[in-house]
Amino acid sequence: MKIKEMETTMSINACNFFLMVSIWDLVSEVDDRLIPSREFSSFLAHVSIDLDLVRLCNFYIDQIKVGEGDVLLLRSSRDSSRVLVFDLFREKTDQLDLVSIGFICSPALRIGVSEMLFRFFNSCSTQISFSANAANGTLRDLVNESSYPRAHGTHGYAQQLMYTAP
């Protein structure tokens, strides 16, 4: 079977997306000011999630200490089954300001979401990981509201779940 034929016949029911990038990939600097990533902003609009990326970046850099950082969980204004999550924990050895971003959606949205998130990931200067899965244990743990507060990091930081963006 040729690759082109495989592309049109294979189907992965991936509704769980998980990325690790630098917080700086969510914004760009233009004329000494930060502006939101065009690719990630398009994704947010597509899934109806309101988030100020510049404010989130500033909060992460200015307010979160190394060895700390909570999880931000946001739901779409159109469909509460669309869940966006950011793990903002700052590892002690991290020099790239890495964040984990997860998104869960319905099968009807998966193709458009996959394309948009992959386009965003390809635009990032710090590309650590991108996955699209039918199920993702790490993402499932992050969105499990009953598991908070939870110990995270080498010193057992009590990670909290935030429902509103800073």
Side-chain angles (χ1 to χ4, degrees), residues 42-49 76-79 82 103 109 113:
S42 294
F43 159 74
L44 291 172
H46 181 72
V47 298
S48 302
I49 293 180
S76 168
S77 61
R78 294 183 113 173
D79 179 354
R82 300 176 194 173
F103 185 70
L109 273 181
V113 164

Side-chain angles (χ1 to χ4, degrees), residues 7-166:
E7 288 176 0
T8 59
T9 60
M10 291 181 64
S11 177
I12 300 171
N13 291 321
C15 297
N16 291 250
F17 302 90
F18 200 70
L19 300 81
M20 183 177 285
V21 298
S22 173
I23 191 78
W24 295 108
D25 287 316
L26 294 172
V27 295
S28 297
E29 189 172 347
V30 176
D31 298 328
D32 294 329
R33 65 183 181 91
L34 298 178
I35 60 167
S37 156
R38 181 183 38 172
E39 290 82 8
F40 203 79
S41 294
S42 294
F43 159 74
L44 291 172
H46 181 72
V47 298
S48 302
I49 293 180
D50 185 31
L51 177 61
D52 184 334
L53 295 173
V54 172
R55 191 169 173 183
L56 179 64
C57 183
N58 285 332
F59 172 77
Y60 179 87
I61 297 302
D62 297 338
Q63 303 293 319
I64 299 177
K65 297 175 185 167
V66 171
E68 297 181 4
D70 295 324
V71 172
L72 173 62
L73 185 141
L74 302 169
R75 295 188 186 276
S76 168
S77 61
R78 294 183 113 173
D79 179 354
S80 64
S81 69
R82 300 176 194 173
V83 180
L84 177 65
V85 63
F86 287 84
D87 186 344
L88 301 173
F89 187 81
R90 296 183 82 171
E91 295 284 347
K92 292 185 185 247
T93 57
D94 177 14
Q95 296 180 0
L96 300 173
D97 297 318
L98 298 175
V99 294
S100 296
I101 304 168
F103 185 70
I104 300 171
C105 66
S106 67
L109 273 181
R110 69 184 167 83
I111 293 173
V113 164
S114 176
E115 291 170 357
M116 295 180 106
L117 287 176
F118 198 64
R119 190 173 313 121
F120 163 69
F121 185 74
N122 280 333
S123 75
C124 293
S125 60
T126 306
Q127 299 173 334
I128 302 300
S129 66
F130 178 97
S131 67
N133 312 94
N136 182 303
T138 303
L139 182 52
R140 184 181 60 240
D141 291 344
L142 285 174
V143 300
N144 180 3
E145 299 173 59
S146 66
S147 69
Y148 292 90
R150 66 185 197 152
H152 194 306
T154 56
H155 295 291
Y157 172 74
Q159 194 173 43
Q160 302 291 326
L161 191 59
M162 302 184 301
Y163 294 100
T164 57

